[in-house]
Amino acid sequence: MTDHIEHENDDLDEEDPRVQLLESLADGLATLSEASDTPNGVSPVSSMFSSVDVDFASDGWMNQLAEVQGWLYFSDDLPLTGGEPFLRALIAELELDPGDLLAPGTASPPLTIRALERLNERVDTACRLQADFLEELEAKGTSRATATQSWADAWAEIDVSEEAASPEPVTAKADVWPIFQLTKKAPNLTPSYQRGDVWSNGDRQSLIESILRGVPLPSIILLRTGPSTPHEVVDGKQRLTAILRFVGKHPVAKQKVAEVTARHSGKKFNEQGRLDNSGHRNLTDLFNDDYPAFRRAWKALEGYALKAEHEDNYYFPFKLRSTGDGGLVGPYLEPLRGKYYTQIKGQEINVAGQQINVDALFEDPVDYKIPVIEYTRASQAQIHEVFRLYNKQGVHLNAEEIRNAVYHEVELTRATLAAAGDADPNTDVSKIAESLAGVVNLGRLGEALSSYGFGDTRYKRTKLLAWVISVLVHDTAGKDLASTSRYIDQLLIKIQNSRSHPLAHPPTLTKLFSLLVKAVELHSSHDELWSDQFKDGGNGAKWQELQLVGSLVGITMALATSPNDIEDRIEANGDAIRTASEESTDWKRPKNAQTKTQWDYIARISKSLLELLDIYPDQAAEAIRLQFGTCGYASLQRMLIQPKS
């Protein structure tokens, strides 16, 4: 591909993996140099270059890599000197061994195949995220700050070093199932790691309309839990929820209908769905056969009409759209518009080349099928491995979605999900995590996180809360802090691997979440402490993550140290805190929030806040350690970047 590769390496076979990797690297680096715009904190290249300009036969390629390194989101800047210092810094950023740097004269460049593969993967990812950034900025009209945050969040979720693949074969099988296999015996839609139903009614209608048109669906991932117990849904909950709701088979709906039927056991209905003592139908029969009649009967017996909010809470059926916007057009599909499932069960349609009734599509073994990946036995590592593979292939799950599936057996994972308000609202939090049963005013935690500007989509509140918890209690034993996602994972792995870990015990977690509830209430009730400039760099409408994590950690540690007079300390020092949030350079968010700079910033904010409240940081760290058996403050302070002389 590049002249330098072809002419300088004539002695190498064109199929040599080094040649192919260098060709790919040259193309990727050139692509990164062509960007018309950059995220905040990423310097534009001085001049665009092409792949033929990338010279791997000399040190010239290092100059091009240094030009575009901002796009690679390294934890620290590579030195501009080139040569061995540059290569050693690059090896460190790629989290490789010193042995991956070859002796001079061994190869050009002097990097092992593994190092070239790792760098090529990083560059490929950078090109993809660059394209996403430019699309968001240019095509979608998003502000630069928002596009930059999305770009940085995407990088934060990417683990550069791949974990070693599990040596055991994956005990899973890929198959296709007719829908009735999923509706006849509904899987467990609410394992502890799953969030609630977050799809809008339009999303649900769109899915059902796609099925009625014969459109293939993405794979659903299930975990077999035993011969007589239902499968757990690992991925695909929203799709399955929509299907089960539409046909009236959702477990929550069936339970609710059974309760109401039992309450009105003496009430009978005729074939027209009207109250009739000589009738032979009860409420459950109406629900299964004539949902509009069920709704009328509900109003008569329960004293109120079923509104959309009730039907969502009870997971009752929903109508199809009344228009052709979702593709319900033509002689077979147009008559289905605006109808409930019970109204169209006998309607004939054409799906997957078959003439069938609508009820056969959902209740019989027909040709239309859904891809299903069924794990019959799988370790956490194997499931994690598959999730990473899906991400590479374009089914992009974020770090929180993966984490809540992979580490759901860890009580802290489940407790964080529920405390943040991201678990299924229809499930009692004590059933998700027993440690939360004794936490007073737990719901205020999720409410406060929402008030900070973090919505309930894709576990944003869970991520923020897990981040704060990790900073408070994860001691890395002298090692540098990794990326946010990996840092949180490391804590969960430690707990998973050691039953004696303090945070493996529910009573300790009860104390932790009780403290967090009080700390977040304290933090949010004293909005006068935080300037708009500090919150989000301007209008103060929504907190940014780094500022919120740093200040929450500081307030939580202060509360743990001095719970009886914390309000007095805030009153006495509030003006100083406000001034620091407006004027202190330590409180100014870094333009380039790389891994090292973000930890440095959080460390500075938390330390400064403790000192402004007249609390010794070491004393606060000891208070956390005494209460929870572990503390991450010393690990955080190791990440402070010393000023350059």
Side-chain angles (χ1 to χ4, degrees), residues 279-352:
H280 301 287
R281 307 167 82 191
N282 61 19
L283 269 177
T284 299
D285 295 327
L286 292 185
F287 182 82
N288 293 330
D289 301 329
D290 190 348
Y291 187 69
F294 171 84
R295 298 179 86 250
R296 294 192 298 270
W298 179 287
K299 182 178 181 180
L301 297 176
E302 292 291 292
Y304 64 93
L306 281 171
K307 297 182 179 180
E309 181 183 0
H310 302 129
E311 292 179 313
D312 285 345
N313 289 337
Y314 303 149
Y315 291 88
F316 282 177
F318 54 89
K319 286 181 179 179
L320 296 172
R321 279 183 280 208
S322 299
T323 67
D325 294 345
L328 295 183
V329 296
Y332 289 116
L333 299 178
E334 192 168 332
L336 310 183
R337 295 181 188 175
K339 304 284 184 60
Y340 290 103
Y341 175 68
T342 59
Q343 296 175 292
I344 62 173
K345 291 169 71 172
Q347 183 73 34
E348 187 177 274
I349 56 175
N350 188 312
V351 179

Side-chain angles (χ1 to χ4, degrees), residues 488-555:
I488 297 170
D489 287 348
Q490 287 171 350
L491 171 62
L492 297 176
I493 290 170
K494 283 181 71 174
I495 299 170
Q496 189 178 54
N497 292 340
S498 174
R499 293 183 179 180
S500 63
H501 193 286
L503 296 177
H505 305 299
T508 305
L509 294 180
T510 302
K511 288 194 299 181
L512 175 62
F513 283 97
S514 296
L515 175 66
L516 287 168
V517 169
K518 295 175 183 176
V520 169
E521 286 186 317
L522 189 66
H523 184 282
S524 60
S525 65
H526 285 284
D527 195 56
E528 75 278 1
L529 300 177
W530 325 112
S531 69
D532 290 347
Q533 182 67 29
F534 171 63
K535 288 180 186 176
D536 63 4
N539 57 28
K542 176 184 176 182
W543 278 82
Q544 292 182 334
E545 287 180 332
L546 295 184
Q547 294 92 310
L548 185 55
V549 171
S551 56
L552 273 176
V553 168
I555 287 291

Side-chain angles (χ1 to χ4, degrees), residues 1-10 22 26 50-58 64:
M1 297 288 288
T2 71
D3 290 342
H4 292 290
I5 294 171
E6 290 183 317
H7 297 311
E8 298 292 342
N9 297 280
D10 289 338
L22 295 180
S50 69
S51 59
V52 297
D53 298 319
V54 182
D55 183 6
F56 289 108
S58 68
Q64 279 94 10

Side-chain angles (χ1 to χ4, degrees), residues 188-249:
N188 178 8
L189 294 162
T190 55
S192 56
Y193 51 86
Q194 284 284 11
R195 54 186 168 172
D197 183 22
V198 298
W199 269 16
S200 69
N201 199 50
D203 293 330
R204 292 188 286 267
Q205 290 170 324
S206 179
L207 179 88
I208 300 302
E209 288 160 356
S210 296
I211 292 173
L212 291 167
R213 294 167 54 208
V215 176
L217 298 187
S219 294
I220 287 170
I221 306 175
L222 304 175
L223 177 63
R224 186 189 296 173
T225 56
S228 58
T229 54
H231 288 78
E232 280 190 1
V233 180
V234 177
D235 187 53
K237 172 182 176 175
Q238 306 303 323
R239 280 166 278 154
L240 281 173
T241 298
I243 292 170
L244 290 167
R245 277 194 62 179
F246 180 67
V247 299
K249 297 290 182 65

Side-chain angles (χ1 to χ4, degrees), residues 338-555:
K339 304 284 184 60
Y340 290 103
Y341 175 68
T342 59
Q343 296 175 292
I344 62 173
K345 291 169 71 172
Q347 183 73 34
E348 187 177 274
I349 56 175
N350 188 312
V351 179
Q354 264 188 311
Q355 293 290 127
I356 55 176
N357 288 345
V358 170
D359 60 351
L361 175 61
F362 292 95
E363 300 180 41
D364 292 336
V366 295
D367 288 349
Y368 180 86
K369 294 179 174 66
I370 296 176
V372 172
I373 297 173
E374 181 190 22
Y375 282 94
T376 53
R377 186 177 70 252
S379 66
Q380 302 292 344
Q382 286 175 324
I383 294 177
H384 202 172
E385 190 179 328
V386 171
F387 274 129
R388 289 201 313 271
L389 179 61
Y390 288 165
N391 273 3
K392 283 186 177 182
Q393 294 175 344
V395 185
H396 296 296
L397 306 168
N398 70 21
E400 277 56 58
E401 289 169 321
I402 295 175
R403 181 176 301 116
N404 281 293
V406 172
Y407 301 111
H408 74 279
E409 292 182 356
V410 178
E411 171 90 359
L412 178 59
T413 304
R414 304 194 302 273
T416 305
L417 178 75
D422 286 336
D424 188 333
N426 293 290
T427 304
D428 190 317
V429 293
S430 63
K431 293 182 179 179
I432 297 173
E434 63 173 297
S435 56
L436 299 181
V439 179
V440 179
N441 297 324
L442 180 67
R444 295 181 184 176
L445 189 51
E447 292 170 3
L449 294 175
S450 294
S451 72
Y452 290 133
F454 295 88
D456 59 2
T457 58
R458 307 201 75 183
Y459 301 112
K460 290 180 180 178
R461 293 177 297 185
T462 299
K463 174 196 173 182
L464 189 110
L465 187 57
W467 194 347
V468 171
I469 291 170
S470 298
V471 173
L472 287 171
V473 299
H474 182 27
D475 184 354
T476 61
K479 296 181 180 179
D480 282 356
L481 274 60
S483 67
T484 304
S485 295
R486 205 179 324 164
Y487 181 62
I488 297 170
D489 287 348
Q490 287 171 350
L491 171 62
L492 297 176
I493 290 170
K494 283 181 71 174
I495 299 170
Q496 189 178 54
N497 292 340
S498 174
R499 293 183 179 180
S500 63
H501 193 286
L503 296 177
H505 305 299
T508 305
L509 294 180
T510 302
K511 288 194 299 181
L512 175 62
F513 283 97
S514 296
L515 175 66
L516 287 168
V517 169
K518 295 175 183 176
V520 169
E521 286 186 317
L522 189 66
H523 184 282
S524 60
S525 65
H526 285 284
D527 195 56
E528 75 278 1
L529 300 177
W530 325 112
S531 69
D532 290 347
Q533 182 67 29
F534 171 63
K535 288 180 186 176
D536 63 4
N539 57 28
K542 176 184 176 182
W543 278 82
Q544 292 182 334
E545 287 180 332
L546 295 184
Q547 294 92 310
L548 185 55
V549 171
S551 56
L552 273 176
V553 168
I555 287 291

